[in-house]
Every structure is written in structure tokens, then in C-alpha cells.
Amino acid sequence: MKKVLIIGAGPAGLTAAYELLSQSKDVSVVILEEEHVAGGISKTVRCDGNRMDLGGHRFFSKDQEVMEWWKKVMPLQGAASLDDKLLGRESKVFPGGPDPQDEDRVMLLRRRISRIYYKKKFFDYPISMKWSTIRNMGVWCTLKAGCSYLASCICKKKEDCLENFYRNRFGKVLYSMFFEGYTEKLWGRHPREISADWGAQRVKGLSILAILKDICRKVLPGKKNGKVETSLIEEFWYPKHGPGQLWETVAEQVQQMGGELRYGCKVTGIERSADGSISAVCYEENGQVKRQEADVFLSSMPVKDLVAGMKFAVPDEIGRIAAGLPYRDFVTVGLLVPKLNLKNETQIKTLNDLVPDCWIYVQDTGVKLGRIQIFNNWSPYMVEDPENTVFIGLEYFCSEGDDFWNMTREECVSFAVKELVSMGVLKSESVVLQSHREQVKKAYPAYFDTYDEMDKLIAWLNEFGNLYCIGRNGQHRYNNMDHSMATAFEAVKNILSGESRKDNIWNVNTEQEYHEERK
């Protein structure tokens, strides 16, 4: 029996455990999870009858293995969802729907609607060529943006930073309006200080040209099934009660298959045996330091912390690179309000005429707020009373220990509400019925500082034949859920087949085909 220890019960760790136990009878699996709930950053937070999704998690992938895996765990719902019923809409029916006895554990098919809120006006995200865009920008600004884009097509800049990456695809004017300030909010660094790798991974094929091609695909005969960039996809799946519901279900199935999941266990040390392989991990549980040996180790903990916790000599250069890897931390403020002070000027019918957006990107640099999530639109079941209240999540990007992070909960909520009033999203501060704050450390691996030396760190980690780094933080790569799962798929294939090379694991999501905005 091969003993496998997995650090972290997020999408990567749980997927690896599920695949190992379902494919082999010759493995035992133990998962150590620091939190007291499964899902990692994909967990669902419960707030007095309402639910929060940390950062928003759209269940869509061009990897069919991932899509089939999700559907196996939670099938698509065949009956109308709550908002369909209340609005009298017919819902699509899917073959092989959920078990009537377990109708709560289902995926809903949702509309993908995100817009930019800039100077109190809505713009499509990604930017479209609609009349509403021209009207909101103004004819003169639109002409300047068009000329700027044409100039960027003729004179390409060397893509040695994120700024040049965006300017090559959108032109200087659109870059200045919709990318520069928002990127600096997100990372706390100007785009010229950030590696172009981040743009290559996160937006890949998205550009003005891709948007024009998508318009042609929709209006020209015979083009309906053409290739679509992921950021232009119009529908996605979503668990009825949020992403955490799926991962809690996977955790239960892992335990039913014989896996052991220990919550409240923080890994603090990594030990090496005489032959150079990893032999054990040390962890804290209920104030006690414990030790767990295994034959194989899969780590989804931040690679920075993994190296720092190694209880043996780490080469100085490797220690320096790992210690210098940067992260961006994250705060979500949840607010329950009777309604938003935003008019639904779309043709989409919603409960209480609520704007239909899942996300609203806030590009204005005059406020710290980065995005607004409207949980009613992700799933009406996320809100206790979706007919009479709106539950929103306000996303702030910060660094652990900075002034915003160190605010008390009351100060943070007050700050957020004041920003919404100044933006015109709420009429007054007195309309808030309920509030919540959630802080997430090391939410986003960043692409600056020692990141450009990551290849040296990867080569060194690969020297440990029984250690597999998976997931977003495990690889210090800004992966989405599907890519984190794919790293687990590849690691499991290697473990069960005896493959020693790990290129397939590290190469997940390095292809230049597609990516979605942050999830």
C-alpha cells in the first residue's frame, strides 16, 4: 500500500485525492487542510442565511475531462431554477439530469454577464463595438481609441512588461482607460513593473481583433460554431449553493472511498530522508506539533511556505528566490441591501429589475474597490430572500499587514459603504441590512520580483522525485480552478504510471490557447 499525503483540500488537492482513490486500490490518502472547511479559495462562506463566493468561480473549461468530471460530481439541473420560476421563464432541459432525491446537489446553467463601471457608466466586458460603447465613450474618444488601436497594429512594442502587452492588443487609449488603473489596483504595481507572462496567461487570445471576430461569428451564416475565446463565452455552470458546495461534496466522496481528511492542520515543516526524497511533514493541530510520514507528497500550499518550512539545508539561491515570490491578498465585504441604485437598462429580465451582472469591474481610480459581485445573479439560492434583497460582495486587493488589511471589520465595512455611495451604487449608508468581511491571505500569486527566476526553483523542486507541486499556490501560477484540477490529473497519472518527469504537471496552462478573467 502506497501512502500518499496531500497538503491542502482545495480544488487541486481534492481532485488528486479523488482520482487516486477511484483509480487504485493500492493507495491510502491523507489530506491535511489548515482551514475547517474544504474548497480553499473556492469555498462558499455562509453569512446568516446568505452565501458568499470568494472571487467568483465560473465553472467552464475547454478541457472536456474537467467538464465531465464536474458533471459527474454535480449533474446539470433539468428543472427550472428559482429565478426562472419566479420570472415565468422556461429552463433548458438536460439529459441525464440529477437524482430527484438529491435535487439540491446540482449545477445551474447561468448567463455570463460582466460589465465595467467607469465614471458612472456601464461598458461591456470585454469592450464591445456596440453603439452603447460609442455613446458612453463619446465620438471623439472613440475615434482616438480607434486611431490608437490602428497605431498599435503598425508599431508593435517589445512585450517585456504587462503595459506593452496590453497596448499591443488594445492601443494606448483603451489601455489607459480600462487596464492601467485597474491593474495597479489589483497588484499594487504599475503594469510596466509586471511581467508580460501574466497577460499571456490571463487574457491570451483576447484582443480587439478577437472581439471583432466574435461579432462576425455571431452575425455571419455558418460561423455560429467557430472558435471562441474563453473571455467571450456567454454561459457557464454554477453549483446551486456556490462553488464550495461542489468541493464539500468531493470531500465527502473522498472520505467515503477511504480517504482521511484532517481539518485544522497547518503544515509547518518538511523533512527529507537520507536518500534525498521527502519523508514526512510536520504540522500543528489544536496547538500540538505532529508528524506524518508518507511515500508520496502532493503540495498545494504556497511554494514560498513549502521551501521556508524545509527542515534541511536549502541552497541560498533557491531560498532567496522562494522568499522573494510575491502575492496579493484579498478582502471581500459582503453587504445585504434592499436594492441597488443602478437601473437595469438591458433587455434581460431580472427579479426586481436588478442589473443582470455577475461581476461589475470598477475601473475608476478614485475608489479602492476593484469589483462588485452580485450573488443573486450567480445563483438565486445564494440569497435567503432574493425577491426582496440583494446580496453583494465588494472585492478589495491589498497586502497582508497594510492599512486596509489592518482595519477593524466595522471600519472596513464603513469604508466600503461610503465608496458605494460616492459611486452612486447605493443611495445612502443607512440601507445596509447585514454585513460581513472575509480576509484571504496569498490569494493571488504575483508575476514580479523573483518570479522571473521561477524556472530555477522548479528545477530544484523536481529533484525530489516523490514531491508533486499542484494547484495555484503550489505552482505559484495564477491558475483557474480547471487548470488547478488539471495539474492534479497529471500528477496522479505520473504517480500511478511511475513516470518520473514532471514537465506535464508544470506545463498545464502554459499553452497560448485561452484563459478566463480571475476566478
Side-chain angles (χ1 to χ4, degrees):
M1 181 73 71
K2 184 177 289 186
K3 297 179 181 178
V4 179
L5 187 139
I6 299 173
I7 304 173
L14 287 171
T15 300
Y18 183 100
E19 290 298 297
L20 283 166
L21 292 167
S22 62
Q23 292 186 44
S24 175
K25 301 298 182 184
D26 298 324
V27 298
S28 65
V29 174
V30 173
I31 306 176
L32 301 180
E33 169 54 46
E34 183 177 356
E35 302 291 332
H36 292 275
V37 64
I41 197 174
S42 301
K43 68 183 177 182
T44 298
V45 178
R46 290 161 175 79
C47 313
D48 297 327
N50 300 295
R51 291 176 167 86
M52 289 175 60
D53 178 353
L54 301 179
H57 291 80
R58 291 183 175 127
F59 286 69
F60 173 85
S61 178
K62 287 192 175 181
D63 185 333
Q64 280 304 119
E65 184 179 10
V66 171
M67 294 292 281
E68 291 302 319
W69 199 93
W70 281 332
K71 193 160 59 174
K72 178 172 60 178
V73 175
M74 275 192 183
L76 281 166
Q77 183 178 30
S81 63
L82 179 61
D83 50 356
D84 288 324
K85 291 175 181 177
L86 293 174
L87 291 168
R89 292 190 303 229
E90 289 188 9
S91 184
K92 295 182 181 180
V93 178
F94 302 95
D99 182 342
Q101 301 301 315
D102 199 14
E103 62 179 20
D104 254 3
R105 291 191 174 184
V106 294
M107 291 273 206
L108 307 178
L109 186 68
R110 311 305 293 164
R111 287 186 300 263
R112 179 200 180 282
I113 301 175
S114 299
R115 288 184 294 172
I116 293 168
Y117 195 63
Y118 180 66
K119 295 185 177 179
K120 297 190 177 182
K121 294 178 181 178
F122 278 108
F123 294 84
D124 286 344
Y125 179 87
I127 292 294
S128 70
M129 297 295 108
K130 295 178 182 177
W131 165 246
S132 60
T133 303
I134 299 172
R135 182 186 64 220
N136 287 343
M137 288 178 62
V139 175
W140 175 239
C141 184
T142 302
L143 287 173
K144 286 199 300 181
C147 292
S148 174
Y149 171 66
L150 291 175
S152 73
C153 293
I154 298 168
C155 300
K156 293 290 185 183
K157 292 184 172 291
K158 181 181 178 182
E159 292 190 354
D160 53 2
C161 66
L162 187 58
E163 178 176 56
N164 290 347
F165 177 91
Y166 281 137
R167 287 182 62 172
N168 282 346
R169 284 156 183 75
F170 299 94
K172 182 179 179 180
V173 172
L174 289 179
Y175 158 74
S176 298
M177 291 175 66
F178 298 118
F179 293 94
E180 186 175 20
Y182 184 82
T183 301
E184 194 160 7
K185 269 191 205 182
L186 174 56
W187 296 112
R189 299 283 185 97
H190 192 274
R192 72 174 65 95
E193 300 177 49
I194 300 174
S195 169
D197 287 358
W198 188 86
Q201 188 181 357
R202 299 307 297 181
V203 300
K204 290 189 177 175
L206 184 61
S207 64
I208 292 294
L209 184 59
I211 293 168
L212 292 173
K213 285 180 179 179
D214 186 62
I215 292 170
C216 293
R217 181 187 65 83
K218 293 174 181 176
V219 300
L220 294 179
K223 298 291 185 181
K224 300 295 184 184
N225 296 319
K227 180 181 175 182
V228 186
E229 296 301 334
T230 304
S231 289
L232 302 173
I233 294 299
E234 295 175 350
E235 292 181 329
F236 62 94
W237 300 349
Y238 195 75
K240 188 172 181 178
H241 295 297
Q245 184 186 22
L246 181 138
W247 297 113
E248 289 162 14
T249 300
V250 174
E252 290 175 15
Q253 294 179 2
V254 164
Q255 290 170 309
Q256 288 168 7
M257 288 189 284
E260 185 179 353
L261 212 168
R262 302 177 191 168
Y263 292 109
C265 296
K266 181 180 179 179
V267 172
T268 57
I270 312 294
E271 296 182 3
R272 183 175 64 178
S273 62
D275 66 3
S277 63
I278 302 301
S279 58
V281 300
C282 300
Y283 63 97
E284 294 179 0
E285 182 181 18
N286 297 324
Q288 294 183 320
V289 177
K290 299 183 178 181
R291 183 175 178 274
Q292 179 72 47
E293 294 184 352
D295 302 307
V296 178
F297 298 81
L298 291 92
S299 173
S300 65
M301 70 187 290
V303 67
K304 180 177 189 172
D305 296 341
L306 176 74
V307 175
M310 289 182 167
K311 296 181 178 295
F312 50 87
V314 174
D316 291 343
E317 183 180 35
I318 296 301
R320 176 187 60 79
I321 295 170
L325 290 176
Y327 298 83
R328 193 68 163 154
D329 305 299
F330 176 67
V331 172
T332 295
V333 176
L335 298 178
L336 185 71
V337 297
K339 63 179 182 178
L340 301 179
N341 189 37
L342 297 172
K343 186 177 180 181
N344 181 13
E345 296 179 340
T346 71
Q347 299 300 309
I348 299 170
K349 188 178 180 183
T350 59
L351 286 175
N352 303 321
D353 207 27
L354 178 67
V355 288
D357 308 77
C358 302
W359 266 320
I360 298 174
Y361 291 82
V362 181
Q363 308 299 88
D364 290 288
T365 55
V367 293
K368 184 174 177 58
L369 178 61
R371 288 191 310 189
I372 304 171
Q373 273 187 277
I374 304 177
F375 297 116
N376 301 55
N377 294 333
W378 288 87
S379 167
Y381 301 96
M382 297 281 280
V383 186
E384 188 173 37
D385 183 9
E387 291 189 80
N388 299 297
T389 59
V390 181
F391 193 41
I392 58 176
L394 311 178
E395 301 181 6
Y396 287 92
F397 315 112
C398 57
S399 297
E400 182 184 357
D402 69 13
D403 290 343
F404 188 81
W405 181 272
N406 287 335
M407 283 183 179
T408 64
R409 192 191 79 83
E410 292 74 17
E411 289 171 338
C412 187
V413 169
S414 177
F415 179 91
V417 172
K418 284 183 170 65
E419 288 208 324
L420 288 186
V421 173
S422 72
M423 292 165 56
V425 176
L426 293 181
K427 275 191 174 180
S428 74
E429 298 175 31
S430 62
V431 299
V432 177
L433 305 174
Q434 175 189 316
S435 65
H436 181 84
R437 179 183 67 170
E438 197 75 20
Q439 296 175 305
V440 182
K441 298 177 183 178
K442 293 186 174 67
Y444 312 125
Y447 287 22
F448 40 84
D449 294 345
T450 59
Y451 168 78
D452 60 358
E453 300 179 82
M454 188 70 189
D455 286 349
K456 297 176 186 176
L457 180 54
I458 291 172
W460 183 77
L461 289 168
N462 284 346
E463 292 177 8
F464 300 100
N466 65 338
L467 173 65
Y468 299 84
C469 294
I470 58 175
R472 174 185 283 197
N473 276 337
Q475 296 195 337
H476 198 85
R477 185 172 292 152
Y478 200 162
N479 282 335
N480 282 341
M481 241 181 345
D482 57 336
H483 296 103
S484 292
M485 292 171 61
T487 63
F489 289 152
E490 295 301 319
V492 169
K493 289 175 187 175
N494 287 14
I495 292 167
L496 297 182
S497 69
E499 172 61 55
S500 59
R501 291 178 62 86
K502 300 175 182 175
D503 296 356
N504 58 321
I505 306 171
W506 288 101
N507 286 340
V508 168
N509 192 28
T510 58
E511 81 289 348
Q512 296 298 309
E513 184 179 351
Y514 86 101
H515 216 293
E516 170 65 288
E517 72 268 26
R518 181 179 60 77
K519 292 195 286 193

